[in-house]
């Protein structure tokens, strides 16, 4: 099977940066399959790049090399690393981008990419994706071991982003989270999961769940977008197994005024008593 390298960047599609990286890879490792995960990560949005990668890597075969370049510190003394985890290899600036991946799959090995002889002949101060990450990724895809491309570093030393953890209050019957990602449909993924809802309902027979955002009830989680009428808001479990706020055939973020960090609550509602 041909080697696979994926690319995740904030380079956009207008300037040719992503295509140049592919040219470097294919020049050093002909026959490699290069997969674009996304080049439309919001500029400098490290966390969103990490979420894109974390949502995708498990669907690639063992041995895949993932390159992620969202690098506000390019040209500074920040490290660039390669990390082995879940049978795959991840290359990125050591700025926390890999945090969402490593929360799912702890690192088995990590190296700092500090071998200038592997870079392109001239290392730009602004385009390490081309001059450093692409050539090293090509070597790894060609079968080079991780130890051959850099110096060992402790996985515990990798930069970790502060991560918003939901707050679960079983006594009050609430789970408090927030929006962590918005896709191009305007669907808003939260950090709440079905497990939070299951915990709220445990031992409360007949109780239901209600999602609330910005003081507005979004009702109980639905099974699909078509469960509500055209233009109506809803909550459902998305393909990442996260609770998502959506508007049927609409743009939830725009219609409801939502953004990354907007608080979202999941509340337990008791079964109404007869006669009330």
């Amino acid at each position: 099977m041909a080697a696979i390298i994926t690319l995740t960047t904030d380079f956009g599609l207008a300037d040719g940066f992503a295509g140049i990286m592919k040219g470097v890879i294919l020049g050093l490792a002909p026959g490699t399959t290069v997969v674009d995960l996304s080049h439309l990560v919001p500029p400098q949005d490290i966390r969103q790049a990490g979420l894109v990668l974390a949502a995708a890597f498990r669907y690639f075969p063992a041995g895949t090399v993932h390159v992620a370049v969202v690098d506000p510190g390019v040209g500074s003394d920040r490290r660039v690393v390669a990390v082995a985890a879940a049978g795959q290899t991840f290359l990125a600036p050591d700025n926390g981008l890999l945090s969402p991946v490593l929360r799912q799959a702890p690192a088995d090995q990590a190296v700092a990419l500090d071998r200038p002889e592997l870079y392109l002949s001239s290392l730009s101060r602004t385009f390490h994706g081309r001059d450093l990450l692409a050539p090293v990724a090509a070597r790894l895809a060609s079968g080079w071991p991780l130890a051959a491309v850099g110096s060992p570093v402790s996985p515990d030393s990798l930069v970790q982003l502060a991560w918003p953890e939901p707050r679960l209050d079983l006594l009050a019957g609430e789970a408090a989270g927030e929006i962590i990602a918005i896709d191009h449909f305007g669907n808003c993924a939260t950090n709440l999961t079905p497990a939070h809802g299951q915990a709220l309902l445990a031992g409360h027979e007949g109780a239901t769940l209600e999602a609330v955002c910005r003081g507005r009830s979004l009702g109980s989680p639905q099974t699909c977008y078509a469960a509500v009428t055209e233009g109506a808001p809803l909550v459902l479990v998305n393909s990442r197994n996260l609770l998502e706020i959506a508007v049927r055939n609409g743009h939830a973020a725009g219609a409801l005024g939502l953004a990354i960090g907007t608080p979202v609550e999941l509340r337990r509602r008791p079964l109404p008593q007869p006669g009330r």
Side-chain angles (χ1 to χ4, degrees), residues 73-136:
V74 63
S76 71
D77 61 359
R78 60 88 184 91
R79 291 190 302 191
V80 182
V81 295
V83 179
Q88 303 181 39
T89 306
F90 302 84
L91 282 67
D94 186 21
N95 57 13
L97 191 159
L98 295 180
S99 299
V101 170
L102 299 179
R103 286 168 58 84
Q104 297 183 31
D108 298 314
Q109 184 183 1
V111 301
L113 302 182
D114 56 2
R115 305 280 169 84
E117 65 272 19
L118 301 183
Y119 309 163
L120 293 192
S121 57
S122 177
L123 183 63
S124 164
R125 302 287 290 185
T126 64
F127 198 0
H128 286 184
R130 175 194 67 192
D131 299 336
L132 192 166
L133 286 152
V136 172

Side-chain angles (χ1 to χ4, degrees), residues 27-101:
L28 292 169
T32 300
T33 297
V34 183
V35 178
D36 299 295
L37 287 186
S38 177
H39 297 297
L40 298 177
V41 173
Q44 293 86 51
D45 197 331
I46 295 166
R47 189 168 79 169
Q48 292 307 305
L51 288 170
V52 168
L53 191 54
F57 78 90
R58 291 190 181 278
Y59 299 97
F60 285 83
T64 297
V65 176
H66 301 279
V67 180
V69 193
V70 175
D71 193 10
V74 63
S76 71
D77 61 359
R78 60 88 184 91
R79 291 190 302 191
V80 182
V81 295
V83 179
Q88 303 181 39
T89 306
F90 302 84
L91 282 67
D94 186 21
N95 57 13
L97 191 159
L98 295 180
S99 299
V101 170

Side-chain angles (χ1 to χ4, degrees), residues 9-37:
T9 78
D10 60 352
F11 292 165
L13 301 175
D15 299 307
F17 299 131
I20 290 169
M21 286 185 64
K22 293 180 186 181
V24 172
I25 290 167
L26 295 174
L28 292 169
T32 300
T33 297
V34 183
V35 178
D36 299 295
L37 287 186

Side-chain angles (χ1 to χ4, degrees), residues 15 56 70 73-74 87 122 128 138 151 157 160 176 189 192 196 243:
D15 299 307
V70 175
V74 63
S122 177
H128 286 184
S151 300
S157 73
Q160 297 291 320
L192 296 166
H196 294 105
L243 264 66

Side-chain angles (χ1 to χ4, degrees), residues 17 22-23 36 65 70 140 144 147 153 155-156 167 185 188 207 218 239 241:
F17 299 131
K22 293 180 186 181
D36 299 295
V65 176
V70 175
L140 291 168
W144 287 37
V153 297
D156 293 337
R167 178 180 55 82
F185 293 107
C188 301
L218 301 172
S239 63
N241 203 41

